[in-house]
Amino acid sequence: MTALRSMFTDVPTPREFFVTRWRKDPYSMGSYSSIRRNATSNVYDVMARPPPQKRLFFAGEATHAKHPQSVHGAYLSGIREGKVVNRLLKKA
């Protein structure tokens, strides 16, 4: 929160949050996304679409068509969504 508040004004305190523990989760086993065989890459674009209100944004390796199933895809999708949020904040 300190980092966000140093960049933006009026950053509210989260009501709640959830921290994942992938290493300790017996069901994830370091999982990653996959699409069905013969599916097209537009599936990733569909997963990345925000709801109509544009108040919720999706990032992660499952939303990057060029680099799915990778840390690089997760990183790039985070940058992509950060830019979207930044544009919306500048309009407000």
Side-chain angles (χ1 to χ4, degrees), residues 7-9 57 82-92:
M7 294 182 279
F8 304 102
T9 58
F57 303 90
K83 288 178 179 179
V84 171
V85 170
N86 194 32
R87 275 196 307 271
L88 290 171
L89 288 173
K90 285 181 178 181
K91 286 182 183 178

Side-chain angles (χ1 to χ4, degrees), residues 7-56:
M7 294 182 279
F8 304 102
T9 58
D10 299 323
V11 176
T13 300
R15 292 181 192 159
E16 62 182 286
F17 58 90
F18 180 77
V19 177
T20 58
R21 303 279 188 240
W22 287 87
R23 185 174 280 186
K24 293 181 179 181
D25 184 347
Y27 303 108
S28 69
M29 307 285 287
S31 52
Y32 55 86
S33 66
S34 64
I35 58 175
R36 65 185 165 98
R37 197 166 51 152
N38 299 324
T40 62
S41 63
N42 76 328
V43 169
Y44 297 105
D45 298 329
V46 170
M47 287 190 277
R49 276 191 212 139
Q53 303 88 334
K54 296 201 189 261
R55 293 180 56 92
L56 178 66

